[in-house]
Amino acid sequence: MNYDRPELRDRLAAAYALGTLRGAARRRLERLMSSDATLAAAVEDWQRRLNPLVEALPPVDPPARVWAAIEREIAATTLTEQTVTRLPAGDASIALRTIALWRNFAIAATAIAAALAIYIAVERPEPGDAIAPIAVLNDDAGHAAFVASTARLSTRLVIARVGAGTGAGPQRSYQLWLLPHGGARPRSLGVIPDLRQTVFELSVENAKGLVDADGIAISLEPAGGSTTGLPTGPILFKGPVTSD
Amino acid sequence: MTEPNQPSIAAFPSPDGLSRLLLQVAAGDRRAFTATYQEAAPQLFALALRMMKQRDLAEEVLQEVFVSIWVKAGRFDPGKGSALAWMAAILRNRCLDRLRTRRPESSIADEDAAEWTDPAPGPLDRALRSAEGRAIWRCLDRLEPGPRNAILRVYYEGLTHAELADRATIPLGTIKSWIRRGLTRLKSCLDE
């Protein structure tokens, strides 16, 4: 269909706003709108014209349980919205560009791409909600060893190894720590079972802490992780959480 | 959080008031979000009920929409219409998505057809708060009853042309041409 004809464009925009355009045709127009500003503007114009109709309906109070459910959901997303403001925005290509600022670009990009592939397969984030790196963990010599990434509206943190590196060794584990703002005691995010890449499901508290954390670190611990709640072995890898 | 009070017409903030609230929501202000819900939810819930025809579905949609408003408030542009209209657009999209996959077989509309025959609220119910709200009714009143009611039923009930033709027992071609002509006239009247 030729969407360039102004009258057709306007008719489709009106059908979209009125709601008579449905199903696959509706989805198709939505896709077009994201790349066609004139079409998007025509739809907005029609929505602006028609949607004041909502004002004419006599209001009906929703039951209290609706608000209670909204509040519960908001509590879970609030922290990630705050996290977002610190994340490099956008899509995978931006994530890869960001990584390029660091060393070991090629290896990092490969690892991130792999992590991305897995993340998308698991999470199917909305467009624009792609994963982006928030910290590079270096070893003592300053070589990048791991990259921590997260995505908009997600409490998940992906740790991917970007250096060659060796494992923790027998009877040892690598444990991931959040270094809270202001030098407070490290908080365990968990033992890293797979050094190539592991997806951590963060608690709300830890995801909030990530927003203004000083950094992320990995320590060497007895197999299964520290039993004291704090790092007992040496901090092997460490890096600051980046903001925009 | 107490149950939101039903806002009286007088207590309803000016359209600008609701826009301001939404801009505060965009900045992450939870209190502004609560106020936005209290002011706008009853109106949006009324629309969700009309479109979904089932209370539980309408509640679900309203919940999803307000979570979405919390997340997307930053995309609201006060220069492009009222805050309520912006929220209504999100709600209608969500309802239409739901209706696409699931049109209830026995809907309230079929049982209480009479109630839905004239979807145009009576003049007393037209508690129109914005200039835009007044303008669209002024222009709708200039249309003939056929096109006017077709547009209103499609808008408020989330019907397709074919569904409306079916329910109103009017030929599909007539419905299509009523809506097409009606929208054209509505546009030129509103853009005057």
Side-chain angles (χ1 to χ4, degrees):
Chain A
M1 204 180 287
N2 180 7
Y3 291 94
D4 290 335
R5 278 172 48 210
E7 65 274 30
L8 176 61
R9 182 196 294 276
D10 196 61
R11 203 164 77 229
L12 285 167
Y16 183 87
L18 186 62
T20 50
L21 192 72
R22 296 292 260 282
R26 191 171 185 82
R27 300 284 89 73
R28 193 161 59 240
L29 201 75
E30 277 169 356
R31 282 198 300 276
L32 281 167
M33 273 153 55
S34 64
S35 61
D36 182 339
T38 320
L39 181 64
V43 169
E44 274 181 6
D45 281 345
W46 271 109
Q47 286 175 332
R48 184 174 47 74
R49 288 185 193 106
L50 293 174
N51 284 330
L53 283 172
V54 69
E55 290 179 26
L57 291 178
V60 181
D61 273 346
R65 62 176 167 268
V66 176
W67 175 250
I70 292 166
E71 280 208 305
R72 273 198 305 276
E73 271 199 67
I74 297 300
T77 59
T78 301
L79 59 104
T80 43
E81 278 300 294
Q82 288 166 350
T83 309
V84 163
T85 62
R86 299 178 58 96
L87 294 179
D91 57 12
S93 66
I94 293 172
L96 294 176
R97 272 208 302 283
T98 311
I99 271 290
L101 299 174
W102 286 301
R103 272 164 304 178
N104 293 340
F105 164 66
I107 305 166
T110 310
I112 285 293
L116 252 177
I118 284 185
Y119 191 90
I120 287 169
V122 173
E123 280 290 283
R124 299 179 153 277
E126 305 256 322
D129 291 353
I131 193 167
I134 57 161
V136 171
L137 281 62
N138 294 327
D139 62 19
D140 277 345
H143 298 301
F146 291 88
V147 171
S149 310
T150 188
R152 184 181 145 76
L153 294 182
S154 173
T155 51
R156 295 190 169 185
L157 185 72
V158 182
I159 295 293
R161 183 167 68 189
V162 294
T166 53
Q171 307 305 311
R172 289 280 185 275
S173 291
Y174 280 152
Q175 190 162 357
L176 188 69
W177 302 89
L178 171 72
L179 308 176
H181 178 66
R185 287 149 45 118
R187 293 215 298 259
S188 175
L189 299 178
V191 166
I192 306 175
D194 184 344
L195 296 182
R196 287 167 304 172
Q197 58 221 353
T198 292
V199 180
F200 285 87
E201 185 73 61
L202 302 185
S203 69
V204 165
E205 194 193 353
N206 283 336
K208 273 183 177 157
L210 199 58
V211 173
D212 60 355
D214 285 346
I216 296 175
I218 293 172
S219 70
L220 185 64
E221 299 294 343
S226 164
T227 52
T228 68
L230 288 172
T232 59
I235 298 280
L236 298 179
F237 312 101
K238 190 169 136 177
V241 172
T242 58
S243 53
D244 278 350
Chain B
M1 173 65 204
T2 55
E3 184 160 8
N5 296 320
Q6 164 149 348
S8 68
I9 307 295
F12 202 92
S14 67
D16 284 341
L18 204 47
S19 294
R20 256 200 307 281
L21 279 178
L22 215 43
L23 295 176
Q24 286 170 268
V25 173
D29 184 335
R30 285 285 294 272
R31 289 179 61 188
F33 183 64
T34 306
T36 303
Y37 182 85
Q38 288 173 330
E39 301 303 347
Q43 205 85 58
L44 294 173
F45 190 48
L47 181 58
L49 282 171
R50 282 232 169 183
M51 293 183 76
M52 301 312 297
K53 312 261 186 345
Q54 279 178 248
R55 240 189 134 77
D56 53 341
L57 293 180
E59 286 178 22
E60 272 177 38
V61 167
L62 188 69
Q63 178 188 331
E64 289 170 11
V65 164
F66 268 91
V67 171
S68 180
I69 288 169
W70 170 252
V71 174
K72 292 184 191 165
R75 297 190 204 166
F76 167 62
D77 179 351
K80 290 180 179 168
S82 78
L84 193 60
W86 182 77
M87 291 187 264
I90 297 176
L91 182 96
R92 296 192 79 249
N93 259 344
R94 199 61 68 108
C95 288
L96 293 170
D97 273 351
R98 292 285 193 102
L99 292 173
R100 178 172 66 108
T101 49
R102 188 180 174 287
R103 169 68 73 182
E105 287 79 17
S106 84
S107 66
I108 298 172
D110 296 330
E111 291 153 19
D112 302 336
E115 192 188 328
W116 303 96
T117 313
D118 179 12
L124 288 178
D125 293 328
R126 293 189 196 175
L128 305 171
R129 287 155 186 130
S130 67
E132 294 90 340
R134 288 187 292 275
I136 190 154
W137 284 104
R138 180 173 51 78
C139 292
L140 278 166
D141 285 344
R142 290 190 196 171
L143 301 183
E144 289 153 12
R148 182 176 66 231
N149 281 337
I151 288 173
L152 288 171
R153 287 198 63 173
V154 158
Y155 178 89
Y156 284 123
E157 296 175 50
L159 301 177
T160 62
H161 292 137
E163 283 165 342
L164 177 58
D166 231 33
R167 289 175 195 207
T169 54
I170 292 168
L172 180 59
T174 309
I175 295 285
K176 281 186 175 175
S177 103
W178 274 352
I179 288 178
R180 196 164 172 181
R181 270 193 297 133
L183 287 174
T184 307
R185 292 190 51 196
L186 207 52
K187 184 186 178 192
S188 62
C189 173
L190 285 168
D191 292 356
E192 259 170 20

